[in-house]
Amino acid sequence: QLQLVESGGGVVQPGRSLRLSCAASGFTFSNYAIHWVRQSPGTGLEWVAVISYDGGVQYYRDSVKGRFTVSRDNFENTLYLQMNSLRADDTGVYYCVREPCRASCFNFDFWGQGTLVTVSS
Amino acid sequence: QSALTQPASVSGSPGQSITISCTGTSSDVGGYNYVSWYQQHPGKAPKLMIYDVSKRPSGVSSRFSGSKSDNTASLTISGLQPEDEADYYCSSYESGSSYVFGIGTRVTVL
């Protein structure tokens, strides 16, 4: 059974850091590119970042470049998102999302249940 | 990375057909055949309904169909059913190796 389970969310003050994790099971994790997508009431769904199947390539949305880092451990079947210098507009539910191939499928075929990040003083 | 434009809400009676539009630019919707659509029920994660403009994943009802013309993509739901009531989001690959989503459309079954 396919599973993506996010963890690590919580309430954090502006300027602080947080690391999210996503544990994968039920499929061969190392065969798929994985994305982070966030959702907040004010802005709907927003793509955040992607990492290639082998971890060699990462891309980010402009507003998080230089602050967020996506990484993966294919031995532990886990994806990470290190978030530094957090801002109020980073608030939202963060989803771990699978792209249905190693690279360049351009869609998202399976989503985790998400973890809530709230940036507030 | 501006959000794609969708109507805030669309409604229809059971059995009717409705269409949701998704308008972007030549840098996203108009430039690539990589538009996908997602259904999201309250409190749930999004579900892939259409990919590559008009392809349906296995298990998705044939009542859902997609199309594209220039910078506007569309999702049509035929034979509307109560369980179709949900939020729907379009997404497109965009130049620069990133993705953009629509603002979302609330579908109401009257």
Side-chain angles (χ1 to χ4, degrees), chain B residues 9-61:
Chain B
S9 63
V10 173
S11 62
S13 300
Q16 286 187 330
S17 293
I18 62 168
T19 297
I20 304 168
S21 61
C22 169
T23 301
T25 69
S26 58
S27 295
D28 40 62
V29 174
Y32 307 92
N33 287 323
Y34 298 134
V35 176
S36 50
W37 289 89
Y38 302 86
Q39 176 192 65
Q40 186 178 34
H41 288 107
K44 301 293 187 182
K47 174 187 175 184
L48 177 65
M49 304 302 284
I50 295 287
Y51 68 99
D52 293 354
V53 175
S54 60
K55 297 177 182 176
R56 266 182 293 107
S58 173
V60 171
S61 171

Side-chain angles (χ1 to χ4, degrees), chain A residues 38 47-49 58-69 84-85 87 90, chain B residues 1 95-98:
Chain A
R38 65 189 180 189
W47 176 82
V48 175
Q58 307 92 35
Y59 294 108
Y60 302 89
R61 70 177 297 105
D62 289 344
S63 63
V64 308
K65 282 179 185 174
R67 300 189 299 121
F68 288 14
T69 302
N84 299 331
S85 303
R87 311 186 311 213
D90 294 319
Chain B
Q1 294 177 326
S95 55
S97 299
S98 65

